[in-house]
Amino acid sequence: MRLSALDEVAEAIGLRTGQALAEARAICPALDVAEDDMPADRRFLEAIADWCDRYTPLVALDGLDGLMLDITGCAHLFGGEARLVAELLDRLLQLGLDARGAISSTPGLSWAAARFSGHAVVADSDMVRVLSPLPLAALRIDAGMAAALARVGLKQVGDLLTVPRGPLTRRFGPGLLLRLDQALGREGESIVPRRPVALLSVERRLAEPIRDEEVILDLTGRLAAGLKSGLDARGEGGRLFELLLFRVDGRVFRIEIGAASPLKDARRIQALFSERLGVLHDDLDAGFGFEIVRLNVLRTEALAETQGSFGTRPRQEDAALDFIDRVTARFGEGCLTLPVTHASHWPERASGLSPLTEATVPAAARLPAPPVRGERPIRLFAHPEPVEVTAEVPDGPPASFRWRRAQHRVARAEGPERLAPEWWIDGEEASPRDYFRIEDSAGHRFWLFRQGLYERGSARPSWFMQGIFA
């Protein structure tokens, strides 16, 4: 067992990361050790990332102990870059976290300044001056390469700036200079956000935290009304909405609702969130209240303008879509499904169930045209069941069969209908199937298939029951 993380007291007495636990206890017998829980650390880091959404929606995870925020166009909302980073670190300190942060034009330089320098904001004109005295580990290179560079007298980033690039590349590879160029802005480096960026977003920062569900819904309706102008400009309506509630103590609640048709009516959006909050009432712990409320549009579709009705009763189609939206918001997408056909002749893969909200408005009332196939049974088993078959000729239809300990004598048979396996899924060695529609002497109709061919392979073909017609 080895040390994976240390506090300041442990570092002060000479312990180091990666040191064996037995050696550390020999140095400090009273050492307090807690077992590392990486999944819990990951969840905690993601919770901090959710909290950082209050500053920018572009938040990315940076390794196991860091976050990277793209604050382009956001700093002026907080009084400038220096005030933004100062407020962020101060609020994290109030939450019990001793964090470090820096702002620059490149992710690489921000990473280096936050960990190895005391500069909070690095101007473009100071990039070389700030980076030069830092150790080579500030370039995000592995320890082995840093040790190899130290053996030839290169210990600081500034030492690399005076050395010809050709010999460095030949000896240490292109990765070293790539990291240097990324830190100085000579090579681009993107920040990949952990969550999709909202197409449209409106938020309200509150002077006093709110706790009541009615107040939250009222504010949600006001925010939804603020989305209308943006949706009108795009000629679209929202299909997926997300409500973010930032609690005072740092916890963030994300509530998503989908719509069966594009929406921009604030009252309908508010009604859907009302249904959803009614289900989450016990799980939505307001604590000391929410200080920021944000409404995002994550997915949109083109919205065709229609003439409204002069009567008091809505159109039947609108009423059906409103019912779908309300039920889905309350019970989730899986409560209403639509059978759909898939591009496969293999019975187990030929059909499935899709959430009704994923269907377009015209297709909500009809099934898509299925591929050309033979007649299929009313009931299809999830897993084919083995049967014992007696046939007059090996390749012919069954004369009788035994299924579920009952003997059936075949009166009529139709087939075979041969279905070849999908070799890109089942492999090239998979056997084809010969399907027969069978009617026994009692009038019951079945769908049986023979797995494999007599003229191929040494294995004897097997028979299975796939479904029942009647």
Side-chain angles (χ1 to χ4, degrees):
M1 300 181 66
R2 296 185 175 274
L3 304 183
S4 60
L6 304 171
D7 62 6
E8 295 178 351
V9 178
E11 292 177 346
I13 63 177
L15 302 184
R16 63 185 185 277
T17 304
Q19 189 176 22
L21 177 60
E23 181 182 352
R25 287 195 182 278
I27 298 174
C28 179
L31 186 65
D32 186 12
V33 179
E35 187 175 354
D36 192 2
D37 188 351
M38 295 188 64
D41 293 343
R42 181 76 173 190
R43 292 192 297 268
F44 182 64
L45 186 62
E46 290 180 347
I48 301 175
D50 286 338
W51 179 85
C52 288
D53 277 352
R54 66 182 61 222
Y55 296 101
T56 173
L58 302 176
V59 181
L61 299 180
D62 181 35
L64 301 177
D65 61 350
L67 298 173
M68 194 71 69
L69 282 65
D70 187 348
I71 61 169
T72 305
C74 302
H76 70 281
L77 300 175
F78 303 90
E81 296 175 347
R83 295 187 61 179
L84 187 152
V85 67
E87 178 189 334
L88 189 150
L89 298 178
D90 182 64
R91 298 196 63 170
L92 287 177
L93 184 61
Q94 295 176 14
L95 295 175
L97 300 175
D98 185 10
R100 300 176 182 178
I103 297 177
S104 72
S105 298
T106 66
L109 182 55
S110 298
W111 190 94
R115 288 166 171 79
F116 298 94
S117 174
H119 294 80
V121 179
V122 181
D124 293 346
S125 58
D126 297 333
M127 296 175 69
V128 175
R129 180 181 63 83
V130 173
L131 192 62
S132 295
L134 301 184
L136 292 178
L139 293 180
R140 297 174 292 173
I141 61 177
D142 58 78
M145 181 180 293
L149 290 166
R151 285 195 294 269
V152 297
L154 303 176
K155 299 181 180 180
Q156 296 180 339
V157 178
D159 298 336
L160 300 178
L161 300 177
T162 59
V163 177
R165 299 172 66 92
L168 281 178
T169 303
R170 287 193 297 270
R171 184 164 182 177
F172 299 102
L176 174 63
L177 294 180
L178 174 62
R179 286 301 193 185
L180 177 62
D181 291 339
Q182 287 177 341
L184 295 175
R186 299 169 183 170
E187 290 286 343
E189 183 180 5
S190 60
I191 297 176
V192 181
R194 53 189 290 268
R195 292 184 177 274
V197 181
L199 302 176
L200 292 171
S201 180
V202 290
E203 73 173 31
R204 183 72 58 84
R205 296 176 179 267
L206 306 171
E208 293 291 337
I210 58 176
R211 300 181 70 255
D212 295 337
E213 183 176 320
E214 295 182 358
V215 179
I216 295 174
L217 287 174
D218 179 69
L219 184 55
T220 302
R222 296 175 184 270
L223 294 177
L227 291 172
K228 189 175 185 302
S229 58
L231 293 172
D232 286 338
R234 301 167 65 100
E236 297 175 335
R239 286 291 305 273
L240 182 62
F241 299 88
E242 180 185 47
L243 181 65
L244 277 74
L245 303 173
F246 294 82
R247 207 165 65 180
V248 174
D249 62 354
R251 186 175 177 183
V252 180
F253 292 87
R254 295 178 180 271
I255 304 172
E256 288 188 2
I257 56 106
S261 61
L263 292 182
K264 64 178 181 180
D265 184 13
R267 289 179 298 177
R268 288 191 61 185
I269 298 173
Q270 182 185 19
L272 295 183
F273 277 108
S274 176
E275 297 285 348
R276 191 61 180 161
L277 289 176
V279 177
L280 301 175
H281 178 75
D282 295 334
D283 298 330
L284 190 64
D285 183 10
F288 291 104
F290 301 106
E291 58 180 349
I292 301 177
V293 180
R294 180 184 300 165
L295 183 61
N296 295 332
V297 181
L298 301 182
R299 189 169 73 242
T300 61
E301 282 187 9
L303 178 63
E305 297 292 343
T306 57
Q307 176 65 45
S309 175
F310 288 103
T312 58
R313 298 180 59 185
R315 294 186 306 167
Q316 183 177 3
E317 182 178 302
D318 293 339
L321 293 175
D322 184 64
F323 169 78
I324 294 172
D325 290 342
R326 287 179 175 270
V327 172
T328 303
R330 176 170 287 272
F331 301 106
E333 287 190 351
C335 66
L336 295 176
T337 56
L338 184 72
V340 295
T341 56
H342 298 153
S344 175
H345 290 281
W346 217 240
E348 294 91 333
R349 308 179 187 128
S351 62
L353 297 175
S354 177
L356 192 58
T357 54
E358 297 297 327
T360 59
V361 175
R366 69 172 188 270
L367 296 176
V372 179
R373 301 191 184 105
E375 185 180 357
R376 294 296 182 256
I378 298 175
R379 180 185 178 189
L380 194 69
F381 296 148
H383 302 284
E385 300 181 6
V387 296
E388 300 176 8
V389 170
T390 301
E392 296 180 355
V393 294
D395 289 335
S400 64
F401 64 92
R402 182 180 179 84
W403 174 55
R404 293 183 178 178
R405 297 184 295 180
Q407 191 72 24
H408 300 267
R409 180 170 297 277
V410 177
R412 297 178 181 83
E414 181 180 359
E417 177 188 0
R418 179 163 296 178
L419 298 181
E422 297 168 341
W423 57 266
W424 57 92
I425 299 177
D426 304 303
E428 297 182 358
E429 302 299 326
S431 302
R433 297 177 180 177
D434 285 341
Y435 281 86
F436 293 87
R437 290 186 288 274
I438 303 296
E439 182 179 339
D440 66 3
S441 56
H444 301 146
R445 300 182 65 203
F446 307 94
W447 202 36
L448 279 72
F449 72 88
R450 181 177 58 230
Q451 180 86 35
L453 303 174
Y454 281 97
E455 66 271 15
R456 298 182 188 175
S458 58
R460 180 181 178 86
S462 303
W463 287 84
F464 296 90
M465 178 70 68
Q466 183 79 68
I468 300 175
F469 284 98

